[in-house]
Amino acid sequence: MAVYNVEKYIEQAIQSVINQTEKSWQLILVNDGTPDNSGHIANRYSEEYDNIFYLEKENGGVSSARNLGMTIAEGEFWNFMDPDDIISDNTLEAVYKFFRAYKRNTDIVCIPIHFFGDQNGLHPLSANKLKSGMRLINLLDDTLKVSMTQNSHCSSSFFNSEILVNKKFDVNMLIGEDFMLINEIIQEKMTLGFVNTAEYWY
């Protein structure tokens, strides 16, 4: 979780991870040179919880913060949640269950994105995710029409960490770094997992 100017929201984001029904998680909070109090809040949680880790760096953008977090991540499956969003309490359990069944078949599992706060309803990126139900999508021969561009949001996607060993977010891209990394990974197996029983709140 890259931390920058989110003092109003970060506690709610962290708490949504703490509240997960699946307890075998690690949360890495990377202070990307934030000028507000969100870094202090993040550090406080790292002092309270053994499985929450806090790193600091000079401001370099979300990609550089995520890349730094990846250097100490130990989990079997990774996610890049944003610090002003939340996840449903069952998210990690539902995604982990799906990965246990399909790890050899796919390296990415996506969940639906919902708006909260200033907007309401289903995020446009999630239209096909809900329609497809919980399933493995073969992008080469599946009859369901799924656009790769609809799965370019890495915060609502979960990754087999093995596929990320030699990969990084492009720090030179101001937008679209999600699209680049996800589609690079997709080309390995040309599959996606969809889990519609969990929710990412954007």
Side-chain angles (χ1 to χ4, degrees), residues 67 70 163-169 181 184-185 188:
N67 288 341
M70 289 165 65
I163 200 69
L164 291 169
V165 169
N166 296 313
K167 292 181 172 60
K168 292 182 179 181
F169 289 94
L181 182 65
E184 181 182 347
I185 293 170
E188 298 278 343

Side-chain angles (χ1 to χ4, degrees), residues 128 139 145-151 192:
N128 281 344
L139 295 172
K145 303 300 182 184
V146 179
S147 168
M148 286 189 186
T149 60
Q150 289 180 315
N151 305 289
L192 286 169

